[in-house]
Amino acid sequence: MNKELIIHTGPNGTDVAMLEDKMLVELHQERVTNQFNVGDIYLGKIKKVLPGLNAAFIDVGHEKDAFIHYTDLSPDIRSLMKYASHAIAGAIDGTLNNFEKEPEIVKTGTIKDVLHNKTHLLVQILKEPISTKGPRLTCEVSIAGRFLVLTPFSDSVGISKKIDSADERKRLRQLVDSVRPKNFGVIVRTQAAGKGAELLQADLLMLVEKWKEMTANLKGAQPVKKVLSEVDKTTGILRDLLNPDFNKIVTNSPALSQDLEDYIERIASDKKGLVSTYTGKVPMYDHFGITKQIKASFGRTVTLPNGCYLIIEKTEALHVIDVNSGHRNTTEGTQENNALRTNIEVAEEIARQLRLRDLGGIIVIDFIDMKLPEHKLELYNKMREFMDKDRATHTILQLSKFNLMQITRERVRPEIAITTTEVCSTCAGTGTISSSLMLRDEIESDLEHLSASHRTLKLYVHPIVQAYLKKGMPSIQMKWWWQYKNFIKIYSNEDLSFTDYKFFDEQDEEISLA
């Protein structure tokens, strides 16, 4: 499988699209206004301790106070609070060699026993703010690298369950345990399989340096303060996903391209050549077919090539997906077999939609009715297979007697919500526009004016209008060449409405027509 990462940067932030065999499967949006990312560590201010909920509200700078439950405090919360106090006082340098850990808290305790009379707390973002809710926090602080995850105040070495080989698990455990600093635990990630001691030790040293950086930022700190930032989504995706299947990383920013090359050289020097900078004239997402896929994949209705379609509805508590056979031809085979075949085809698209939209919480899928238990079991196994690529933690239940499948999927960030309907830029939603018959006359009027002062002109129009202007022999484009003695280059832009158009000069600067 070929994987490509297409990264578009703009004034509002960065969009990261991941393609698998040219199919859009993940879309991540990082906005400049997003201050709270999963993994960020804060020195927060305790606002309320609620014994009835066995939880507390913490101020981390968001308009809504963040929430932490007793079960998210970590068994080593007392050691963490002691360490944070020493770090604020400047009495510790980031190492834990001589640090005396405090006793662990009990699982059945109450939050008032731990946070009573406390004013601040070192916390990590577990879930980003979603809807009207503030961030969800944890005190089980960890710092993730490409191969390892550092867990302070622990002495254990955990191995990813996805590493199946018993010999490899044993090798990694012995290797990491031999280089692990005192009072630091380590979780070995799936990407560490087959990697040598040098790479793993370098990753571990980098994580320890991050811990020391956080300690230095705590010195003299007052709540509320961010003391360690998680990497941005772009480098986070590279850190988590970069594998031999990746064959291309493209960005429209030369500066980001250089940063990515430097980052990849540190984590996987053999893959530095994957990065390239897009310099084409067509908008980058249009060039790679991403814009079209976004418009086809988001929205209430999603149509599949086989004629089936999905209706995706969101409620406050869950997402509901209704499967419809549409105009699919079902003249061959029995109704039961056709239902199974259709459900399996649709299940693959549903698994993609969950990743693409980053849907979380409870998802209920209403499949086409099937009666045979073996068919229901086959569909369940296929859905598990399709969901194997999903990095989010998820649980899939077998179909009920009503052909309903329930899925729970981890939600740590707001879902991707893209409006696929467009407000006409000409009518501003009134439903009336100037006659399309006048469009050619309007363009020609501007051409006559601009041709006198520009040797080269570039015209951007809606794709349907582009096809109309370039079709035939001679085409309208050629007639313009003869009439205005100026060859007009015509490009399509899917973001333009049907009756909208823009002119650009030789330097690709837009020409104002006001």
Side-chain angles (χ1 to χ4, degrees):
M1 179 182 294
N2 291 326
K3 290 185 180 181
E4 300 170 278
L5 215 57
I6 314 300
I7 306 167
H8 177 272
T9 62
N12 296 323
T14 302
D15 293 333
V16 182
M18 190 170 80
L19 308 180
E20 291 181 354
D21 293 333
K22 305 298 181 182
M23 177 72 73
L24 179 66
V25 294
E26 289 188 26
L27 183 65
H28 302 268
Q29 297 178 329
E30 184 175 15
R31 295 292 171 254
V32 293
T33 55
N34 187 15
Q35 302 174 359
F36 302 90
N37 293 316
V38 173
D40 288 348
I41 300 177
Y42 284 82
L43 181 65
K45 183 178 181 180
I46 299 174
K47 298 296 290 292
K48 294 178 184 177
V49 177
L50 305 174
L53 295 176
N54 208 15
F57 284 100
I58 313 293
D59 180 10
V60 293
H62 190 262
E63 58 183 353
K64 296 283 187 179
D65 288 337
F67 179 84
I68 188 167
H69 192 268
Y70 180 83
T71 54
D72 293 317
L73 285 183
S74 166
D76 295 301
I77 179 62
R78 290 195 172 97
S79 296
L80 180 66
M81 290 191 295
K82 176 182 175 181
Y83 183 88
S85 297
H86 288 351
I88 292 171
I92 199 164
D93 61 358
T95 61
L96 299 179
N97 292 335
N98 300 317
F99 183 80
E100 293 186 10
K101 296 197 298 182
E102 296 295 309
E104 295 184 357
I105 61 173
V106 295
K107 293 182 179 180
T108 56
T110 60
I111 200 162
K112 67 178 182 179
D113 296 334
V114 180
L115 299 185
H116 182 64
N117 291 332
K118 304 295 182 182
T119 59
H120 59 262
L121 188 66
L122 193 66
V123 292
Q124 189 167 29
I125 303 293
L126 183 65
K127 292 184 180 181
E128 293 179 11
I130 297 175
S131 186
T132 59
K133 299 178 181 178
R136 180 74 183 266
L137 305 177
T138 180
C139 286
E140 294 195 59
V141 175
S142 62
I143 304 176
R146 173 154 169 75
F147 304 116
L148 307 172
V149 178
L150 190 68
T151 57
F153 314 113
S154 171
D155 291 310
S156 64
V157 176
I159 308 293
S160 168
K161 294 180 181 178
K162 293 184 179 180
I163 300 178
D164 299 324
S165 170
D167 291 339
E168 180 63 7
R169 294 173 67 89
K170 181 179 179 181
R171 181 189 76 88
L172 289 170
R173 190 183 302 277
Q174 291 176 343
L175 176 58
V176 171
D177 198 38
S178 66
V179 296
R180 175 180 61 84
K182 184 180 178 182
N183 288 330
F184 281 103
V186 176
I187 300 172
V188 181
R189 308 185 70 183
T190 307
Q191 292 93 330
K195 299 300 186 291
E198 185 177 354
L199 277 177
L200 299 183
Q201 187 169 16
D203 200 43
L204 182 59
L205 290 175
M206 182 270 293
L207 297 178
V208 172
E209 287 302 314
K210 277 193 172 185
W211 175 259
K212 291 180 178 180
E213 176 189 343
M214 184 206 73
T215 303
N217 292 336
L218 275 171
K219 185 176 180 179
Q222 295 291 327
V224 174
K225 181 181 180 181
K226 184 191 290 189
V227 292
L228 189 68
S229 294
E230 171 65 305
V231 296
D232 57 66
K233 287 185 181 178
T234 305
T235 52
I237 291 170
L238 286 178
R239 179 192 67 194
D240 296 342
L241 295 181
L242 195 62
N243 58 45
D245 290 337
F246 263 101
N247 66 341
K248 184 186 293 184
I249 299 172
V250 185
T251 176
N252 64 333
S253 167
L256 179 59
S257 180
Q258 185 60 53
D259 291 343
L260 291 175
E261 286 186 359
D262 294 341
Y263 179 77
I264 292 176
E265 189 172 22
R266 293 199 305 271
I267 67 171
S269 57
D270 58 318
K271 294 186 174 294
K272 183 179 178 181
L274 294 179
V275 181
S276 62
T277 304
Y278 179 75
T279 57
K281 303 303 180 185
V282 178
M284 184 169 70
Y285 271 22
D286 288 357
H287 174 77
F288 288 100
I290 296 172
T291 302
K292 184 177 180 180
Q293 291 194 55
I294 289 175
K295 292 187 176 183
S297 299
F298 286 87
R300 180 175 178 267
T301 304
V302 178
T303 303
L304 279 68
N306 61 13
C308 304
Y309 64 94
L310 307 173
I311 303 294
I312 303 178
E313 299 274 12
K314 177 185 178 182
T315 72
E316 186 66 26
L318 48 79
H319 292 85
V320 180
I321 302 176
D322 183 34
V323 177
N324 296 274
S325 58
H327 60 265
R328 179 186 175 93
N329 185 355
T330 57
T331 56
E332 297 181 0
T334 65
Q335 179 180 352
E336 180 76 12
N337 288 333
N338 284 327
L340 173 63
R341 186 162 57 250
T342 300
N343 283 335
I344 289 176
E345 292 175 6
V346 169
E348 185 172 13
E349 176 62 22
I350 291 175
R352 170 178 169 260
Q353 285 288 329
L354 298 186
R355 293 175 66 191
L356 184 58
R357 302 182 187 222
D358 203 10
L359 300 185
I362 301 172
I363 299 110
V364 178
I365 307 168
D366 182 9
F367 282 104
I368 298 172
D369 287 350
M370 298 182 298
K371 296 180 180 179
L372 298 180
E374 57 266 31
H375 285 177
K376 294 184 178 182
L377 180 60
E378 184 177 351
L379 176 59
Y380 166 72
N381 290 331
K382 282 292 185 181
M383 178 58 84
R384 292 185 61 184
E385 178 185 329
F386 297 143
M387 293 283 288
D388 275 345
K389 301 174 186 176
D390 198 334
R391 292 180 293 135
T393 303
H394 57 268
T395 303
I396 305 173
L397 300 184
Q398 294 198 34
L399 272 74
S400 71
K401 67 178 181 179
F402 300 117
N403 281 274
L404 299 178
M405 178 180 287
Q406 299 175 66
I407 298 176
T408 60
R409 188 175 182 274
E410 179 186 31
R411 176 166 58 186
V412 297
R413 297 181 178 89
E415 68 178 83
I416 299 293
I418 295 177
T419 302
T420 55
T421 55
E422 300 175 0
V423 176
C424 176
S425 61
T426 305
C427 75
T430 63
T432 59
I433 63 173
S434 59
S435 172
S436 58
L437 295 175
M438 299 297 296
L439 179 61
R440 177 177 171 181
D441 291 341
E442 291 173 3
I443 294 176
E444 289 181 348
S445 175
D446 290 328
L447 272 176
E448 186 173 2
H449 169 68
L450 296 175
S451 294
S453 56
H454 294 83
R455 295 181 58 188
T456 301
L457 287 171
K458 299 175 183 178
L459 173 65
Y460 285 82
V461 293
H462 188 278
I464 295 176
V465 178
Q466 182 204 30
Y468 168 71
L469 296 175
K470 300 183 76 167
K471 74 172 184 178
M473 186 61 71
S475 65
I476 295 175
Q477 182 185 29
M478 295 178 68
K479 292 178 182 178
W480 286 347
W481 182 25
W482 297 328
Q483 181 176 354
Y484 301 109
K485 306 298 186 247
N486 191 330
F487 186 72
I488 316 299
K489 298 180 180 179
I490 303 176
Y491 300 98
S492 68
N493 187 335
E494 296 182 8
D495 291 331
L496 294 175
S497 65
F498 186 77
T499 57
D500 200 7
Y501 60 92
K502 294 180 179 180
F503 280 103
F504 287 77
D505 61 17
E506 300 90 336
Q507 285 75 41
D508 288 324
E509 296 288 338
E510 184 176 353
I511 302 172
S512 175
L513 299 175

